Structure formats: C-alpha cells, structure tokens
Amino acid sequence: MTQTAHSAKQTVLVTGGAGFIGSNFIRYFLRRNPLSIVINVDKLTYAGNPENLKDIEENENYHFFRADICDKAVLRGIFDKYMPDVVINFAAESHVDRSIIEPEEFLKTNIYGTYSLLEIAREKGIGLFLQVSTDEVYGSIESGSFREDSPLSPNSPYAASKAGADMLVRAYNKTYGFPAIITRCANNYGPYQFPEKLIPLVIINALNGKLVPIYGDGKNRRDWIYVADHCSAIELIFKKGVPGEIYNIDSGEERENIEVVKMILKEVSERIGKDVISLINFVKDRPGHDRRYSMDSSKLRAMGWSPSYFFEYGIRQTIDWYMENRQWWQRIISGEYMQYYERQYGAR
Ligand code: NAD
Ligand code: DAU
C-alpha cells in the first residue's frame, strides 16, 4: 500500500460544500492551501446555503456548481472541465429524524449519489476519493468503542444509507483498485450547523424563549467534536492517508444529551441575564434511538492528529457565533424549516 501523493497545488472537488461541515472545510482548506483550487458541487437542498461561503465567493481559486451528485452527465462535464486530483464527498442527506419521516432522498443521495460520483471519478482516473462517513454506521455500543474493523450495524434509514455508501466505496477499492479512503466521524458542532441538529436547536430555542425538546430520558450519549477538528483530520487523512483504509475521527468528549443541554442553557442564561433552564422539555423518544456512540480513533492519532477544542471551549465559541449571526439562522427558521419543525414538534 502506498501513501497518497500530495503536491502543494491540488484541485479538490468537494461535494456538499454549501452545508455545515463542507463549508467549514472549504474555508479551512483554502486558508491553509491558498494555491489549491476548490470546486464545490452542491445541489442546495434545504440544508445547503450559499451564505455559508459568502466570504470566499470572490476567491479566484473557488468555483461553485449547483448540481446533484446523482446526475452523472453533469458530473462528467465538471470533471472534464477541472480534472480534479481529489474528490471529497460530503454531500448527503444528514438528519436522522428526517430519514425516519421520509427515507427516499437518503437512499437517492447517500447511496445512488455516492455510486454515481464513484463511477465518474473512476472513469476519469482521479488520484483519491475520500468518503466522509459517520460513526452511526457502527450502531450503538453500551461500553467500549468501535474500531475501524468493527461490523456495521446501522439503526436508522440515514445510518443504513451511509453504511450502504461505505460498502460501495469499499467494493470499488477492492474490485477496481480504486483509490478510496473512508472517514467516520463523531457528532460535529460549531458555526453554520443547520438548526435542526441538537446543539444549534438548543441555542436558538433558548435565545427565542422556546421549549427545548429532549428525546426520551436524555441519557443518550454522543461524542462531540468541534467542526474545525473534523476539518483538520480530513486534511491530514487526504494528505497522508492510505487508500483502501478507514479512519475513525472522534474527540473523546463524550456527554449525555441532558448534560449538553444543561451546559448550553446555563451559558445562554448568563449571556442574556435570564434563566432559561426551565425550557427543558422531555418529549417522545426518537424511534430506534441509538443509546451511545463511541469509536477508537487511535489509528488516526498515531498519524499525529489530535483535537484542539475542549468541549466547554467549543460550546462557548459556538454560542457566541449563533448570538453574533442571528440573521443567518433567522432566515433559516422561516420557510421550509418551519414546516419540518412543526411536523416534528407541533406548532411553536
Ligand atoms: P448538511 O446537511 O449540513 O449538508 C449537506 C450538504 O449536501 C448540503 O449543502 C446539501 O445541499 C448537499 N446535498 C444534499 N444532497 C445533495 C445532492 N444530491 N447533490 C449535491 N449536494 C447535495 O450535512 P453535514 O452535517 O455538513 O454533513 C456533511 C457530511 O458529513 C455528510 O456526509 C454526513 O453524513 C457526514 N457526517 C456528519 C456529521 C455531523 O455531525 N453533522 C458527523 C459525521 C459525518
Ligand atoms: O454521530 C454522527 C451523526 O451525528 C451524523 O452522522 C449525523 O449526520 C448528525 O445529524 C448527527 O446525528 P445525531 O442523530 O446524533 O444528531 P442530532 O443532533 O440529531 O441529535 C443528537 C442527540 O440529541 C441524539 O441523541 C438525539 C437527541 N436530540 C436531537 C434533537 C434534534 C434531542 O434529544 N432533541 C432534539 O430535538
């Protein structure tokens, strides 16, 4: 097995770059690799927001295409024009609750979309394909941690669709010798996260004086990683990772949901000078709700990576960001998102 070739100037095709992690990654990557070119292919679903990259729109090394990763003809045209060295596939339907209500788009984008990207990337002989996957493919674990060779046991339609994509990526590597790497990351949080996810939802509801829904008993555990740490891990893996390998990415910052919610509400209370702890509202549990996620990321850490953000610090940074960028989320919490929210939690 050989290490991935890396030169200072690369053309990187990022999919889903208008979403939460993709936009953070593009900003991070262009800052650190100013000679590289980034092509962002994003369908702009409800979760894709061009405002997430407004500050780099004018960068001449950045190009945006509104396109669906399921559309092979369009992808072929983009690959022919830019001849990317690397593809990083962030594009996905990403929210577990939506996948429970309507799984179809998850199967289309997460499985068929990954397949069509793999096909075009293989046809064009790209140097490396990095599939951004998730700890959810392993399912829930009561104690201990999953390793990269642990069996997959997804429990939601979202997790099953991501596991399906991982299997395809693996098959392309085994069958065609296609140079692909899979990364599996824990729960991200930070700037530009869509307000349907727990942490931004809690911050925004607290600022708006709305009830904060906690599923079940609130004792489900997640490992929380600040998005910049996910970005640094991906950059290291695509520069130094070995094709055919899988890399777990986690922070070790494991918390019960109720602990996370209380911490945020305490921080917000202090900032706004009003007690918002009473907004906690225990609601019906998520069907198939995974109790605990935990991964062993020693393989990645042996390559020299470690997270830079302690959870308490990252949470404070995140709350500050949502308080300073109200316009960003106020625009989102009107429109389509509201229909989803009302289906999920009833009218506000
Ligand atoms: P997100 O929902 O914020 O963004 C997804 C982006 O993909 C959006 O910009 C959307 O417009 C785009 N997209 C969706 N369908 C598309 C299609 N058919 N063609 C082109 N673009 C399309 O998601 P996120 O939280 O930023 O997650 C990004 C990736 O990271 C996903 O693959 C997700 O499975 C994975 N991941 C997320 C987390 C997390 O905690 N958020 C953790 C581990 C892995
Ligand atoms: O673990 C990685 C995964 O993390 C990613 O692959 C997914 O794309 C991402 O959405 C996230 O999935 P989760 O389901 O873990 O994240 P979410 O923010 O939806 O929920 C976090 C926990 O909080 C989970 O146990 C469910 C709970 N929850 C969530 C919401 C939205 C609540 O109690 N109340 C809520 O309103």
Side-chain angles (χ1 to χ4, degrees):
M1 287 197 256
T2 52
Q3 279 208 339
T4 319
H6 169 65
S7 62
K9 183 177 174 183
Q10 286 193 309
T11 300
V12 180
L13 189 145
V14 168
T15 68
F20 163 48
I21 304 172
S23 61
N24 275 282
F25 178 78
I26 290 174
R27 182 176 297 101
Y28 173 91
F29 182 77
L30 279 174
R31 202 174 53 233
R32 290 174 46 87
N33 301 272
L35 298 179
S36 290
I37 293 169
V38 171
I39 319 298
N40 178 10
V41 177
D42 195 300
K43 183 180 174 183
L44 298 184
T45 65
Y46 78 93
N49 185 349
E51 271 190 53
N52 295 1
L53 286 169
K54 216 166 179 41
D55 51 327
I56 64 149
E57 255 170 17
E58 303 301 322
N59 184 327
E60 58 184 20
N61 288 343
Y62 170 72
H63 306 276
F64 173 73
F65 287 91
R66 182 171 194 177
D68 187 334
I69 58 163
C70 298
D71 188 336
K72 283 196 260 180
V74 170
L75 288 179
R76 195 172 281 119
I78 298 171
F79 274 69
D80 281 342
K81 184 163 181 198
Y82 290 100
M83 295 187 294
D85 303 296
V86 180
V87 172
I88 307 182
N89 184 25
F90 291 95
E93 287 294 334
S94 69
H95 192 40
V96 173
D97 293 326
R98 286 185 190 251
S99 82
I100 294 167
I101 299 169
E102 262 171 72
E104 193 165 340
E105 280 307 309
F106 288 74
L107 306 190
K108 283 186 189 155
T109 288
N110 300 1
I111 301 181
Y112 187 83
T114 301
Y115 150 74
S116 72
L117 257 182
L118 283 167
E119 257 317 269
I120 303 303
R122 184 168 77 90
E123 180 183 308
K124 302 296 171 193
I126 62 115
L128 181 69
F129 186 102
L130 196 148
Q131 173 69 5
V132 179
S133 188
T134 168
D135 58 2
E136 300 207 10
V137 296
Y138 296 118
S140 194
I141 188 165
E142 251 177 58
S143 60
S145 302
F146 291 117
R147 290 160 40 97
E148 285 84 354
D149 55 4
S150 299
L152 303 193
S153 196
N155 292 316
S156 69
Y158 162 70
S161 68
K162 292 293 289 187
D166 283 15
M167 292 291 121
L168 269 174
V169 173
R170 177 192 151 89
Y172 269 62
N173 175 260
K174 298 287 178 203
T175 306
Y176 306 114
F178 180 73
I181 290 176
I182 297 170
T183 61
R184 295 189 178 136
C185 192
N187 280 65
N188 285 227
Y189 68 99
Y192 299 102
Q193 187 167 29
F194 197 84
E196 66 195 350
K197 307 285 165 51
L198 181 71
I199 287 180
L201 179 81
V202 175
I203 299 170
I204 290 171
N205 279 18
L207 291 173
N208 282 338
K210 305 283 182 202
L211 292 176
V212 169
I214 299 186
Y215 300 162
D217 62 5
K219 292 188 190 297
N220 302 68
R221 301 179 76 89
R222 297 289 183 267
D223 182 294
W224 291 100
I225 184 168
Y226 193 70
V227 63
D229 283 330
H230 187 184
C231 295
S232 67
I234 288 180
E235 189 194 27
L236 177 72
I237 291 166
F238 107 64
K239 289 180 176 173
K240 302 252 170 70
V242 177
E245 294 291 323
I246 299 169
Y247 297 91
N248 288 343
I249 308 170
D250 85 323
S251 68
E253 296 271 15
E254 189 180 324
R255 301 279 190 286
E256 280 186 355
N257 291 342
I258 185 68
E259 191 185 341
V260 171
V261 170
K262 283 184 176 163
M263 182 192 297
I264 296 171
L265 294 181
K266 183 166 169 285
E267 286 285 338
V268 173
S269 297
E270 280 164 15
R271 282 168 168 72
I272 65 175
K274 186 175 153 202
D275 191 352
V276 287
I277 299 287
S278 59
L279 293 176
I280 289 179
N281 182 30
F282 287 93
V283 298
K284 195 159 70 69
D285 208 354
R286 171 188 279 175
H289 196 176
D290 285 330
R291 194 64 172 168
R292 174 173 178 262
Y293 295 144
S294 180
M295 290 182 299
D296 176 340
S297 61
S298 49
K299 184 169 164 181
L300 173 63
R301 289 173 192 246
M303 288 163 63
W305 178 87
S306 60
S308 302
Y309 288 78
F310 289 115
F311 187 61
E312 283 70 14
Y313 178 71
I315 281 290
R316 279 189 225 114
Q317 295 284 106
T318 305
I319 295 172
D320 286 344
W321 189 86
Y322 280 88
M323 290 186 73
E324 284 158 15
N325 291 276
R326 285 172 191 261
Q327 256 198 356
W328 180 87
W329 53 262
Q330 271 162 351
R331 267 203 274 274
I332 292 172
I333 65 169
S334 54
E336 197 270 347
Y337 171 68
M338 274 304 292
Q339 291 161 25
Y340 158 76
Y341 191 97
E342 283 169 13
R343 257 201 329 261
Q344 190 67 7
Y345 306 112
R348 289 201 272 186

